[in-house]
Amino acid sequence: MRVVRFTPQPDAGLGTDPLFGILEEDNQISIISGDPIYHGIQKTAAKVDLTKVRLLAPVIPRSKIVAVGKNYADHAAEMGGVVPDEPIIFLKPNTSVIGPGDTIVWPAMAPTIDYEAELAIVIGRVCKEVPRERVKDVIFGYTLANDVTSRELQKRDGQWMRAKSFDTFCPLGPWIETEFVPGTQRITTTLNGEIKQDAKLSDMIFKVEDIIFFVTQVMTLLPGDVIITGTPAGIGPMPEKSTIAISIEGLGQLTNKVSARP
């Protein structure tokens, strides 16, 4: 199922507050009651057409976004590093999240800003020290992420927190697919219509089971937390006023524009 979070247009007659729904095959959204990560998927009788809503980030992480670095061998090489022996993890704040169609805002202190296409895991329950064979039990679903990065600040600081934590630096969407199974699906980035990244999820060094096993040895994950799983080679800068689109087969496309440079 494709779980969406959205605000209705005024003429839809559904108010102005964000709602959750299931995007059906006919592009109708079946509205559900409450946040499905906490309350399960309970459809109501109400429906609205996809053209009558504005899609939002499908989840706002309650506590954290856990990010994995250098999880594709070709990306590790282009960054001048070797393949890590275990996952490299860091955090992004939930204030960095925006949704599909939202604008990535160029911070005044960043000389350039880069795109990084990533598969995102949405956690569905409180979990700690999850064995690999139980990982599927704690996943609510999957979505797309763009781990926006100021490369110069990353190099200057010698660590990644500031470079990846600005407001708007974690677009998520367009929906959460609850039945997605990562495999050989193609992951791509297009910048102003030109393909910049093109790989397969099977190229990940550490698979989803490895990542969740490792992360939960370190920290407790909460419902709605998001793990972004690393980017393939082909990263690069986004010019001002450009359009960036992240795609994964079976998960749709996440498109955002970049603001003018301040």
Side-chain angles (χ1 to χ4, degrees):
M1 290 182 288
R2 292 178 172 178
V3 178
V4 293
R5 179 172 164 265
F6 64 93
T7 51
Q9 294 180 0
D11 61 353
L14 295 169
T16 58
D17 292 337
L19 298 170
F20 289 91
I22 304 299
L23 180 59
E24 311 287 2
E25 292 185 0
D26 60 359
N27 281 338
Q28 292 289 308
I29 296 173
S30 297
I31 297 174
I32 58 180
S33 176
D35 186 332
I37 295 176
Y38 287 88
H39 303 293
I41 296 174
Q42 303 176 45
K43 289 185 180 181
T44 69
K47 290 190 175 185
V48 62
D49 193 86
L50 181 61
T51 62
K52 295 288 187 181
V53 309
R54 174 175 170 261
L55 292 181
L56 307 173
V59 58
I60 300 295
R62 297 305 194 272
S63 67
K64 56 191 170 292
I65 303 156
V66 183
V68 180
K70 298 183 179 180
N71 198 26
Y72 289 75
D74 55 1
H75 173 58
E78 76 176 347
M79 293 295 291
V82 298
V83 173
D85 294 327
E86 58 185 8
I88 299 170
I89 60 174
F90 58 96
L91 297 178
K92 290 172 76 87
N94 58 11
T95 48
S96 65
V97 171
I98 57 173
D102 290 338
T103 298
I104 299 168
V105 178
W106 196 312
M109 66 173 61
T112 62
I113 53 176
D114 285 16
Y115 54 82
E116 293 189 8
E118 308 206 11
L119 173 70
I121 309 164
V122 181
I123 299 300
R125 58 192 292 184
V126 178
C127 56
K128 174 71 174 173
E129 297 181 348
V130 181
R132 287 179 174 85
E133 62 272 17
R134 296 284 305 277
V135 159
K136 291 181 181 179
D137 297 342
V138 307
I139 297 173
F140 180 77
Y142 294 87
T143 190
L144 302 171
N146 186 354
D147 180 18
V148 181
T149 304
S150 171
R151 200 67 59 199
E152 290 86 354
L153 297 182
Q154 182 181 10
K155 294 175 181 177
R156 184 188 306 172
D157 291 350
Q159 52 87 20
W160 303 351
M161 181 68 179
R162 176 169 62 139
K164 293 173 173 283
S165 293
F166 290 98
D167 292 354
T168 76
F169 269 30
C170 192
L172 294 175
W175 45 68
I176 300 169
E177 175 56 72
T178 62
E179 298 173 11
F180 184 79
V181 179
T184 60
Q185 296 91 341
R186 188 181 177 200
I187 176 171
T188 62
T189 297
T190 60
L191 178 65
N192 293 331
E194 180 181 355
I195 294 179
K196 295 293 188 178
Q197 292 182 288
D198 192 349
K200 292 182 178 180
L201 296 182
S202 53
D203 295 333
M204 288 194 297
I205 300 164
F206 302 105
K207 311 306 183 188
V208 169
E209 293 78 9
D210 303 317
I211 293 168
I212 292 181
F213 170 79
F214 181 83
V215 170
T216 60
Q217 306 306 303
V218 179
M219 65 189 77
T220 299
L221 295 176
L222 303 181
D225 282 351
V226 171
I227 302 174
I228 59 176
T229 57
T231 194
I235 60 169
M238 297 180 288
E240 59 180 344
K241 301 183 181 179
S242 58
T243 299
I244 190 77
I246 309 296
S247 298
I248 295 177
E249 292 172 336
L251 290 180
Q253 179 172 284
L254 171 64
T255 302
N256 298 92
K257 288 190 176 295
V258 179
S259 74
R261 185 175 177 178

